[in-house]
Amino acid sequence: MTDQAALAPFTTLLDMELGTLDPQREVTERRLDDLRGMFLEEPEAGDSLVYRVYAIPAPATGANLLCSTTVLEPGTAGREYYMTKGHFHQVRDRAEVYLGLAGEGRLVMATEDGRHAVEPIRRGTVSYVPGGWAHRSVNVGREPLVFFAAYVGDAGHDYGTVERTGFPVLIVAGDDGPEVVANPRYRR
Ligand code: M6P
Ligand code: ZN
């Protein structure tokens, strides 16, 4: 018998604008202090909230899907918009799907050999993150960016690789809106 046997069907109510879940289960908060070293310019001191992840827990096995909503606040550190830490999956070939719910964002993805892709996130976008692609979301709008994500349960989060290399590109506030620029600190 696997964990599967212990899991009964259940439903969660998702507020499509706010991204909150009812019932609320695990909530992870990330503040500017948790993102130290990730922005090109260090943000001013302060522990401003950057994002919250509301998870729907399930056993972290390859038979399950782990689902969460992320609510990413608007803001900038230097010219860079607020963003998530970003990660590869520990099990590299595990895929993920992002469904945009509210706000305006970008999904930045990169492979370990240095390729990158930038896709929009807004209400109704469904983005496929193939295995082997690190992913980070960026809020380029003035409202919270809200999206739903589902990934293979045994994927795991590898934050260390992204912390070491960065992403090949940054999303920065330009005169006419968001711009994709090369990351001068990126190294494979
Ligand atoms: C999405 C998913 C989660 C992830 C969250 C925040 O909801 O990809 O697995 O935790 O975004 O991103 P990060 O873990 O990179 O901070
Ligand atoms: Zn992921």
Side-chain angles (χ1 to χ4, degrees):
M1 277 294 167
T2 63
D3 284 341
Q4 226 34 38
L7 209 56
F10 63 99
T11 297
T12 304
L13 199 60
L14 159 60
D15 185 311
M16 308 274 269
E17 276 296 315
L18 297 178
T20 50
L21 300 177
D22 183 13
Q24 187 176 99
R25 299 183 188 89
E26 290 169 23
V27 184
T28 305
E29 263 189 16
R30 304 274 193 212
R31 298 182 167 271
L32 277 178
D33 275 346
D34 300 311
L35 292 168
R36 294 263 156 232
M38 299 204 135
F39 293 106
L40 207 51
E41 279 175 50
E42 274 312 304
E44 326 228 308
D47 63 347
S48 294
L49 175 70
V50 182
Y51 59 102
R52 285 197 177 104
V53 180
Y54 300 91
I56 301 177
T61 68
N64 285 293
L65 294 173
L66 289 179
C67 299
S68 55
T69 55
T70 301
V71 180
L72 178 54
E73 298 300 319
T76 50
R79 289 176 64 212
E80 279 177 277
Y81 296 100
Y82 278 8
M83 61 193 187
T84 59
K85 285 164 71 102
H87 59 270
F88 282 95
H89 290 152
Q90 241 154 21
V91 183
R92 283 290 191 270
D93 68 355
R94 299 309 197 244
E96 184 157 346
V97 167
Y98 272 47
L99 167 62
L101 297 176
E104 178 71 28
R106 300 288 182 271
L107 176 56
V108 182
M109 291 166 281
T111 59
E112 281 178 287
D113 62 9
R115 285 171 293 153
H116 75 269
V118 180
E119 296 291 332
I121 307 177
R122 67 176 73 90
R123 183 175 174 76
T125 57
V126 180
S127 306
Y128 195 82
V129 183
W133 288 77
H135 36 290
R136 160 180 284 164
S137 45
V138 181
N139 185 348
V140 302
R142 294 194 178 148
E143 305 294 328
L145 175 69
V146 183
F147 61 89
F148 177 88
Y151 57 97
V152 184
D154 65 352
H157 291 77
D158 165 15
Y159 293 105
T161 304
V162 163
E163 279 167 15
R164 244 184 354 265
T165 65
F167 276 75
V169 292
L170 308 175
I171 313 292
V172 300
D175 292 339
D176 301 314
E179 290 173 8
V180 181
V181 299
N183 176 5
R185 280 199 322 208
Y186 174 68
R187 49 194 178 80
R188 292 196 247 174

PDB file of all heavy atoms in Angstrom, residues 28-60:
ATOM      1  N   THR A  28       3.935  30.004   3.371  1.00  0.00           N
ATOM      2  CA  THR A  28       5.352  30.371   3.467  1.00  0.00           C
ATOM      3  C   THR A  28       5.478  31.839   3.097  1.00  0.00           C
ATOM      4  O   THR A  28       4.954  32.264   2.067  1.00  0.00           O
ATOM      5  CB  THR A  28       6.196  29.534   2.484  1.00  0.00           C
ATOM      6  OG1 THR A  28       5.956  28.160   2.739  1.00  0.00           O
ATOM      7  CG2 THR A  28       7.682  29.828   2.636  1.00  0.00           C
ATOM      8  N   GLU A  29       6.163  32.601   3.956  1.00  0.00           N
ATOM      9  CA  GLU A  29       6.364  34.028   3.691  1.00  0.00           C
ATOM     10  C   GLU A  29       7.803  34.280   3.325  1.00  0.00           C
ATOM     11  O   GLU A  29       8.708  33.785   4.002  1.00  0.00           O
ATOM     12  CB  GLU A  29       6.062  34.819   4.967  1.00  0.00           C
ATOM     13  CG  GLU A  29       4.688  35.377   4.981  1.00  0.00           C
ATOM     14  CD  GLU A  29       4.490  36.355   6.151  1.00  0.00           C
ATOM     15  OE1 GLU A  29       5.481  36.824   6.747  1.00  0.00           O
ATOM     16  OE2 GLU A  29       3.337  36.619   6.437  1.00  0.00           O
ATOM     17  N   ARG A  30       8.026  35.072   2.289  1.00  0.00           N
ATOM     18  CA  ARG A  30       9.399  35.484   1.951  1.00  0.00           C
ATOM     19  C   ARG A  30       9.454  37.005   1.996  1.00  0.00           C
ATOM     20  O   ARG A  30       8.652  37.684   1.359  1.00  0.00           O
ATOM     21  CB  ARG A  30       9.775  35.030   0.542  1.00  0.00           C
ATOM     22  CG  ARG A  30       9.640  33.546   0.322  1.00  0.00           C
ATOM     23  CD  ARG A  30      10.880  32.793   0.751  1.00  0.00           C
ATOM     24  NE  ARG A  30      10.835  31.429   0.241  1.00  0.00           N
ATOM     25  CZ  ARG A  30      11.362  30.391   0.865  1.00  0.00           C
ATOM     26  NH1 ARG A  30      11.979  30.550   2.013  1.00  0.00           N
ATOM     27  NH2 ARG A  30      11.295  29.188   0.338  1.00  0.00           N
ATOM     28  N   ARG A  31      10.446  37.487   2.738  1.00  0.00           N
ATOM     29  CA  ARG A  31      10.646  38.926   2.897  1.00  0.00           C
ATOM     30  C   ARG A  31      11.952  39.327   2.219  1.00  0.00           C
ATOM     31  O   ARG A  31      12.729  38.467   1.817  1.00  0.00           O
ATOM     32  CB  ARG A  31      10.650  39.285   4.385  1.00  0.00           C
ATOM     33  CG  ARG A  31       9.326  38.934   5.001  1.00  0.00           C
ATOM     34  CD  ARG A  31       9.202  39.284   6.461  1.00  0.00           C
ATOM     35  NE  ARG A  31       7.792  39.170   6.806  1.00  0.00           N
ATOM     36  CZ  ARG A  31       6.919  40.182   6.701  1.00  0.00           C
ATOM     37  NH1 ARG A  31       7.327  41.392   6.367  1.00  0.00           N
ATOM     38  NH2 ARG A  31       5.645  39.986   6.977  1.00  0.00           N
ATOM     39  N   LEU A  32      12.179  40.628   2.108  1.00  0.00           N
ATOM     40  CA  LEU A  32      13.400  41.109   1.440  1.00  0.00           C
ATOM     41  C   LEU A  32      14.642  40.448   2.027  1.00  0.00           C
ATOM     42  O   LEU A  32      15.561  40.092   1.294  1.00  0.00           O
ATOM     43  CB  LEU A  32      13.509  42.632   1.561  1.00  0.00           C
ATOM     44  CG  LEU A  32      12.720  43.424   0.523  1.00  0.00           C
ATOM     45  CD1 LEU A  32      12.871  44.920   0.785  1.00  0.00           C
ATOM     46  CD2 LEU A  32      13.165  43.073  -0.905  1.00  0.00           C
ATOM     47  N   ASP A  33      14.647  40.251   3.346  1.00  0.00           N
ATOM     48  CA  ASP A  33      15.812  39.630   3.982  1.00  0.00           C
ATOM     49  C   ASP A  33      16.065  38.215   3.469  1.00  0.00           C
ATOM     50  O   ASP A  33      17.202  37.749   3.472  1.00  0.00           O
ATOM     51  CB  ASP A  33      15.636  39.580   5.505  1.00  0.00           C
ATOM     52  CG  ASP A  33      16.069  40.892   6.140  1.00  0.00           C
ATOM     53  OD1 ASP A  33      16.736  41.687   5.446  1.00  0.00           O
ATOM     54  OD2 ASP A  33      15.739  41.108   7.320  1.00  0.00           O
ATOM     55  N   ASP A  34      14.993  37.523   3.049  1.00  0.00           N
ATOM     56  CA  ASP A  34      15.146  36.159   2.528  1.00  0.00           C
ATOM     57  C   ASP A  34      15.718  36.167   1.108  1.00  0.00           C
ATOM     58  O   ASP A  34      16.082  35.119   0.581  1.00  0.00           O
ATOM     59  CB  ASP A  34      13.801  35.435   2.509  1.00  0.00           C
ATOM     60  CG  ASP A  34      13.197  35.322   3.900  1.00  0.00           C
ATOM     61  OD1 ASP A  34      13.928  34.908   4.819  1.00  0.00           O
ATOM     62  OD2 ASP A  34      12.008  35.662   4.069  1.00  0.00           O
ATOM     63  N   LEU A  35      15.737  37.338   0.474  1.00  0.00           N
ATOM     64  CA  LEU A  35      16.197  37.451  -0.926  1.00  0.00           C
ATOM     65  C   LEU A  35      17.555  38.144  -1.023  1.00  0.00           C
ATOM     66  O   LEU A  35      17.988  38.513  -2.112  1.00  0.00           O
ATOM     67  CB  LEU A  35      15.158  38.218  -1.753  1.00  0.00           C
ATOM     68  CG  LEU A  35      13.822  37.485  -1.955  1.00  0.00           C
ATOM     69  CD1 LEU A  35      12.779  38.425  -2.532  1.00  0.00           C
ATOM     70  CD2 LEU A  35      13.983  36.297  -2.882  1.00  0.00           C
ATOM     71  N   ARG A  36      18.221  38.309   0.104  1.00  0.00           N
ATOM     72  CA  ARG A  36      19.552  38.955   0.105  1.00  0.00           C
ATOM     73  C   ARG A  36      20.468  38.294  -0.904  1.00  0.00           C
ATOM     74  O   ARG A  36      20.520  37.060  -0.975  1.00  0.00           O
ATOM     75  CB  ARG A  36      20.211  38.853   1.484  1.00  0.00           C
ATOM     76  CG  ARG A  36      19.520  39.613   2.548  1.00  0.00           C
ATOM     77  CD  ARG A  36      20.134  40.991   2.794  1.00  0.00           C
ATOM     78  NE  ARG A  36      19.075  41.812   3.391  1.00  0.00           N
ATOM     79  CZ  ARG A  36      18.713  43.011   2.938  1.00  0.00           C
ATOM     80  NH1 ARG A  36      19.316  43.566   1.917  1.00  0.00           N
ATOM     81  NH2 ARG A  36      17.742  43.679   3.512  1.00  0.00           N
ATOM     82  N   GLY A  37      21.170  39.096  -1.693  1.00  0.00           N
ATOM     83  CA  GLY A  37      22.138  38.564  -2.649  1.00  0.00           C
ATOM     84  C   GLY A  37      21.521  38.216  -3.998  1.00  0.00           C
ATOM     85  O   GLY A  37      22.233  37.890  -4.936  1.00  0.00           O
ATOM     86  N   MET A  38      20.190  38.289  -4.100  1.00  0.00           N
ATOM     87  CA  MET A  38      19.561  37.867  -5.353  1.00  0.00           C
ATOM     88  C   MET A  38      19.315  39.031  -6.296  1.00  0.00           C
ATOM     89  O   MET A  38      19.227  38.851  -7.502  1.00  0.00           O
ATOM     90  CB  MET A  38      18.248  37.166  -5.053  1.00  0.00           C
ATOM     91  CG  MET A  38      18.470  35.922  -4.217  1.00  0.00           C
ATOM     92  SD  MET A  38      17.157  34.743  -4.413  1.00  0.00           S
ATOM     93  CE  MET A  38      18.105  33.255  -4.589  1.00  0.00           C
ATOM     94  N   PHE A  39      19.168  40.222  -5.760  1.00  0.00           N
ATOM     95  CA  PHE A  39      19.015  41.404  -6.609  1.00  0.00           C
ATOM     96  C   PHE A  39      20.403  41.965  -6.912  1.00  0.00           C
ATOM     97  O   PHE A  39      21.314  41.866  -6.082  1.00  0.00           O
ATOM     98  CB  PHE A  39      18.184  42.474  -5.901  1.00  0.00           C
ATOM     99  CG  PHE A  39      16.742  42.095  -5.668  1.00  0.00           C
ATOM    100  CD1 PHE A  39      16.278  41.761  -4.399  1.00  0.00           C
ATOM    101  CD2 PHE A  39      15.835  42.084  -6.730  1.00  0.00           C
ATOM    102  CE1 PHE A  39      14.947  41.419  -4.188  1.00  0.00           C
ATOM    103  CE2 PHE A  39      14.501  41.742  -6.523  1.00  0.00           C
ATOM    104  CZ  PHE A  39      14.054  41.413  -5.255  1.00  0.00           C
ATOM    105  N   LEU A  40      20.548  42.577  -8.068  1.00  0.00           N
ATOM    106  CA  LEU A  40      21.822  43.173  -8.465  1.00  0.00           C
ATOM    107  C   LEU A  40      22.199  44.273  -7.468  1.00  0.00           C
ATOM    108  O   LEU A  40      23.332  44.372  -7.013  1.00  0.00           O
ATOM    109  CB  LEU A  40      21.676  43.741  -9.881  1.00  0.00           C
ATOM    110  CG  LEU A  40      22.910  43.838 -10.743  1.00  0.00           C
ATOM    111  CD1 LEU A  40      23.662  42.517 -10.792  1.00  0.00           C
ATOM    112  CD2 LEU A  40      22.505  44.269 -12.166  1.00  0.00           C
ATOM    113  N   GLU A  41      21.202  45.113  -7.172  1.00  0.00           N
ATOM    114  CA  GLU A  41      21.413  46.138  -6.136  1.00  0.00           C
ATOM    115  C   GLU A  41      20.715  45.665  -4.877  1.00  0.00           C
ATOM    116  O   GLU A  41      19.530  45.334  -4.926  1.00  0.00           O
ATOM    117  CB  GLU A  41      20.776  47.462  -6.550  1.00  0.00           C
ATOM    118  CG  GLU A  41      21.608  48.270  -7.501  1.00  0.00           C
ATOM    119  CD  GLU A  41      20.847  49.512  -7.949  1.00  0.00           C
ATOM    120  OE1 GLU A  41      20.328  50.243  -7.076  1.00  0.00           O
ATOM    121  OE2 GLU A  41      20.748  49.714  -9.165  1.00  0.00           O
ATOM    122  N   GLU A  42      21.434  45.671  -3.779  1.00  0.00           N
ATOM    123  CA  GLU A  42      20.820  45.249  -2.514  1.00  0.00           C
ATOM    124  C   GLU A  42      19.659  46.172  -2.188  1.00  0.00           C
ATOM    125  O   GLU A  42      19.791  47.393  -2.257  1.00  0.00           O
ATOM    126  CB  GLU A  42      21.851  45.309  -1.383  1.00  0.00           C
ATOM    127  CG  GLU A  42      22.692  44.044  -1.256  1.00  0.00           C
ATOM    128  CD  GLU A  42      21.864  42.750  -1.267  1.00  0.00           C
ATOM    129  OE1 GLU A  42      20.957  42.621  -0.432  1.00  0.00           O
ATOM    130  OE2 GLU A  42      22.139  41.880  -2.105  1.00  0.00           O
ATOM    131  N   PRO A  43      18.506  45.591  -1.842  1.00  0.00           N
ATOM    132  CA  PRO A  43      17.386  46.439  -1.432  1.00  0.00           C
ATOM    133  C   PRO A  43      17.722  47.160  -0.131  1.00  0.00           C
ATOM    134  O   PRO A  43      18.608  46.728   0.606  1.00  0.00           O
ATOM    135  CB  PRO A  43      16.248  45.441  -1.216  1.00  0.00           C
ATOM    136  CG  PRO A  43      16.838  44.084  -1.274  1.00  0.00           C
ATOM    137  CD  PRO A  43      18.223  44.173  -1.836  1.00  0.00           C
ATOM    138  N   GLU A  44      17.024  48.258   0.096  1.00  0.00           N
ATOM    139  CA  GLU A  44      17.226  48.965   1.350  1.00  0.00           C
ATOM    140  C   GLU A  44      16.890  48.016   2.493  1.00  0.00           C
ATOM    141  O   GLU A  44      16.134  47.079   2.315  1.00  0.00           O
ATOM    142  CB  GLU A  44      16.282  50.166   1.421  1.00  0.00           C
ATOM    143  CG  GLU A  44      16.042  50.783   0.067  1.00  0.00           C
ATOM    144  CD  GLU A  44      16.206  52.272   0.094  1.00  0.00           C
ATOM    145  OE1 GLU A  44      15.567  52.883   0.955  1.00  0.00           O
ATOM    146  OE2 GLU A  44      16.964  52.779  -0.738  1.00  0.00           O
ATOM    147  N   ALA A  45      17.465  48.339   3.615  1.00  0.00           N
ATOM    148  CA  ALA A  45      17.187  47.503   4.795  1.00  0.00           C
ATOM    149  C   ALA A  45      15.680  47.500   5.044  1.00  0.00           C
ATOM    150  O   ALA A  45      14.969  48.402   4.626  1.00  0.00           O
ATOM    151  CB  ALA A  45      17.917  48.074   5.991  1.00  0.00           C
ATOM    152  N   GLY A  46      15.214  46.491   5.705  1.00  0.00           N
ATOM    153  CA  GLY A  46      13.768  46.413   5.954  1.00  0.00           C
ATOM    154  C   GLY A  46      13.301  45.032   5.623  1.00  0.00           C
ATOM    155  O   GLY A  46      13.939  44.338   4.841  1.00  0.00           O
ATOM    156  N   ASP A  47      12.232  44.660   6.254  1.00  0.00           N
ATOM    157  CA  ASP A  47      11.800  43.282   6.079  1.00  0.00           C
ATOM    158  C   ASP A  47      10.475  43.239   5.341  1.00  0.00           C
ATOM    159  O   ASP A  47       9.586  42.469   5.678  1.00  0.00           O
ATOM    160  CB  ASP A  47      11.727  42.576   7.435  1.00  0.00           C
ATOM    161  CG  ASP A  47      10.689  43.223   8.324  1.00  0.00           C
ATOM    162  OD1 ASP A  47      10.222  44.335   7.986  1.00  0.00           O
ATOM    163  OD2 ASP A  47      10.320  42.617   9.340  1.00  0.00           O
ATOM    164  N   SER A  48      10.320  44.112   4.300  1.00  0.00           N
ATOM    165  CA  SER A  48       9.069  44.135   3.540  1.00  0.00           C
ATOM    166  C   SER A  48       8.716  42.750   3.049  1.00  0.00           C
ATOM    167  O   SER A  48       9.587  41.998   2.611  1.00  0.00           O
ATOM    168  CB  SER A  48       9.202  45.022   2.303  1.00  0.00           C
ATOM    169  OG  SER A  48       9.382  46.332   2.672  1.00  0.00           O
ATOM    170  N   LEU A  49       7.437  42.442   3.087  1.00  0.00           N
ATOM    171  CA  LEU A  49       6.924  41.194   2.533  1.00  0.00           C
ATOM    172  C   LEU A  49       7.088  41.239   1.018  1.00  0.00           C
ATOM    173  O   LEU A  49       6.748  42.227   0.375  1.00  0.00           O
ATOM    174  CB  LEU A  49       5.443  41.047   2.881  1.00  0.00           C
ATOM    175  CG  LEU A  49       4.755  39.846   2.248  1.00  0.00           C
ATOM    176  CD1 LEU A  49       5.254  38.553   2.883  1.00  0.00           C
ATOM    177  CD2 LEU A  49       3.247  39.957   2.379  1.00  0.00           C
ATOM    178  N   VAL A  50       7.649  40.192   0.424  1.00  0.00           N
ATOM    179  CA  VAL A  50       7.749  40.109  -1.040  1.00  0.00           C
ATOM    180  C   VAL A  50       6.713  39.129  -1.593  1.00  0.00           C
ATOM    181  O   VAL A  50       6.009  39.449  -2.534  1.00  0.00           O
ATOM    182  CB  VAL A  50       9.175  39.732  -1.489  1.00  0.00           C
ATOM    183  CG1 VAL A  50       9.267  39.692  -3.012  1.00  0.00           C
ATOM    184  CG2 VAL A  50      10.191  40.731  -0.940  1.00  0.00           C
ATOM    185  N   TYR A  51       6.610  37.945  -1.022  1.00  0.00           N
ATOM    186  CA  TYR A  51       5.551  37.028  -1.477  1.00  0.00           C
ATOM    187  C   TYR A  51       5.154  36.023  -0.420  1.00  0.00           C
ATOM    188  O   TYR A  51       5.870  35.805   0.551  1.00  0.00           O
ATOM    189  CB  TYR A  51       5.931  36.322  -2.770  1.00  0.00           C
ATOM    190  CG  TYR A  51       7.184  35.468  -2.772  1.00  0.00           C
ATOM    191  CD1 TYR A  51       7.113  34.081  -2.683  1.00  0.00           C
ATOM    192  CD2 TYR A  51       8.448  36.037  -2.912  1.00  0.00           C
ATOM    193  CE1 TYR A  51       8.258  33.281  -2.740  1.00  0.00           C
ATOM    194  CE2 TYR A  51       9.593  35.248  -2.964  1.00  0.00           C
ATOM    195  CZ  TYR A  51       9.496  33.882  -2.873  1.00  0.00           C
ATOM    196  OH  TYR A  51      10.633  33.105  -2.924  1.00  0.00           O
ATOM    197  N   ARG A  52       3.977  35.462  -0.656  1.00  0.00           N
ATOM    198  CA  ARG A  52       3.465  34.370   0.181  1.00  0.00           C
ATOM    199  C   ARG A  52       3.097  33.211  -0.728  1.00  0.00           C
ATOM    200  O   ARG A  52       2.584  33.424  -1.829  1.00  0.00           O
ATOM    201  CB  ARG A  52       2.198  34.793   0.925  1.00  0.00           C
ATOM    202  CG  ARG A  52       2.435  35.706   2.083  1.00  0.00           C
ATOM    203  CD  ARG A  52       1.206  35.739   3.005  1.00  0.00           C
ATOM    204  NE  ARG A  52       1.468  36.568   4.161  1.00  0.00           N
ATOM    205  CZ  ARG A  52       0.986  37.800   4.311  1.00  0.00           C
ATOM    206  NH1 ARG A  52       0.185  38.319   3.394  1.00  0.00           N
ATOM    207  NH2 ARG A  52       1.295  38.495   5.393  1.00  0.00           N
ATOM    208  N   VAL A  53       3.367  32.007  -0.258  1.00  0.00           N
ATOM    209  CA  VAL A  53       2.971  30.790  -0.982  1.00  0.00           C
ATOM    210  C   VAL A  53       1.983  30.034  -0.098  1.00  0.00           C
ATOM    211  O   VAL A  53       2.286  29.711   1.053  1.00  0.00           O
ATOM    212  CB  VAL A  53       4.195  29.901  -1.296  1.00  0.00           C
ATOM    213  CG1 VAL A  53       3.760  28.648  -2.045  1.00  0.00           C
ATOM    214  CG2 VAL A  53       5.234  30.683  -2.105  1.00  0.00           C
ATOM    215  N   TYR A  54       0.787  29.803  -0.642  1.00  0.00           N
ATOM    216  CA  TYR A  54      -0.261  29.055   0.054  1.00  0.00           C
ATOM    217  C   TYR A  54      -0.299  27.657  -0.556  1.00  0.00           C
ATOM    218  O   TYR A  54      -0.621  27.509  -1.751  1.00  0.00           O
ATOM    219  CB  TYR A  54      -1.618  29.729  -0.143  1.00  0.00           C
ATOM    220  CG  TYR A  54      -1.681  31.149   0.377  1.00  0.00           C
ATOM    221  CD1 TYR A  54      -1.366  32.231  -0.445  1.00  0.00           C
ATOM    222  CD2 TYR A  54      -2.053  31.406   1.698  1.00  0.00           C
ATOM    223  CE1 TYR A  54      -1.430  33.535   0.024  1.00  0.00           C
ATOM    224  CE2 TYR A  54      -2.118  32.712   2.176  1.00  0.00           C
ATOM    225  CZ  TYR A  54      -1.801  33.769   1.338  1.00  0.00           C
ATOM    226  OH  TYR A  54      -1.859  35.059   1.803  1.00  0.00           O
ATOM    227  N   ALA A  55       0.041  26.661   0.243  1.00  0.00           N
ATOM    228  CA  ALA A  55       0.182  25.310  -0.322  1.00  0.00           C
ATOM    229  C   ALA A  55      -1.021  24.435   0.007  1.00  0.00           C
ATOM    230  O   ALA A  55      -1.691  24.609   1.024  1.00  0.00           O
ATOM    231  CB  ALA A  55       1.447  24.668   0.230  1.00  0.00           C
ATOM    232  N   ILE A  56      -1.269  23.493  -0.889  1.00  0.00           N
ATOM    233  CA  ILE A  56      -2.241  22.425  -0.644  1.00  0.00           C
ATOM    234  C   ILE A  56      -1.412  21.165  -0.430  1.00  0.00           C
ATOM    235  O   ILE A  56      -0.931  20.563  -1.383  1.00  0.00           O
ATOM    236  CB  ILE A  56      -3.187  22.247  -1.851  1.00  0.00           C
ATOM    237  CG1 ILE A  56      -3.925  23.549  -2.133  1.00  0.00           C
ATOM    238  CG2 ILE A  56      -4.160  21.099  -1.578  1.00  0.00           C
ATOM    239  CD1 ILE A  56      -4.835  23.509  -3.354  1.00  0.00           C
ATOM    240  N   PRO A  57      -1.160  20.803   0.826  1.00  0.00           N
ATOM    241  CA  PRO A  57      -0.235  19.701   1.081  1.00  0.00           C
ATOM    242  C   PRO A  57      -0.755  18.363   0.568  1.00  0.00           C
ATOM    243  O   PRO A  57      -1.956  18.101   0.599  1.00  0.00           O
ATOM    244  CB  PRO A  57      -0.115  19.681   2.607  1.00  0.00           C
ATOM    245  CG  PRO A  57      -0.637  20.994   3.073  1.00  0.00           C
ATOM    246  CD  PRO A  57      -1.664  21.403   2.078  1.00  0.00           C
ATOM    247  N   ALA A  58       0.182  17.569   0.094  1.00  0.00           N
ATOM    248  CA  ALA A  58      -0.078  16.187  -0.308  1.00  0.00           C
ATOM    249  C   ALA A  58       1.254  15.466  -0.115  1.00  0.00           C
ATOM    250  O   ALA A  58       2.299  16.119  -0.020  1.00  0.00           O
ATOM    251  CB  ALA A  58      -0.538  16.126  -1.763  1.00  0.00           C
ATOM    252  N   PRO A  59       1.243  14.155  -0.025  1.00  0.00           N
ATOM    253  CA  PRO A  59       2.512  13.446   0.136  1.00  0.00           C
ATOM    254  C   PRO A  59       3.459  13.770  -1.033  1.00  0.00           C
ATOM    255  O   PRO A  59       3.034  13.782  -2.192  1.00  0.00           O
ATOM    256  CB  PRO A  59       2.092  11.977   0.126  1.00  0.00           C
ATOM    257  CG  PRO A  59       0.656  11.992   0.572  1.00  0.00           C
ATOM    258  CD  PRO A  59       0.081  13.256   0.005  1.00  0.00           C
ATOM    259  N   ALA A  60       4.735  14.037  -0.713  1.00  0.00           N
ATOM    260  CA  ALA A  60       5.701  14.465  -1.738  1.00  0.00           C
ATOM    261  C   ALA A  60       6.255  13.259  -2.485  1.00  0.00           C
ATOM    262  O   ALA A  60       7.450  12.971  -2.435  1.00  0.00           O
ATOM    263  CB  ALA A  60       6.811  15.274  -1.078  1.00  0.00           C
TER     264      ALA A  60
END
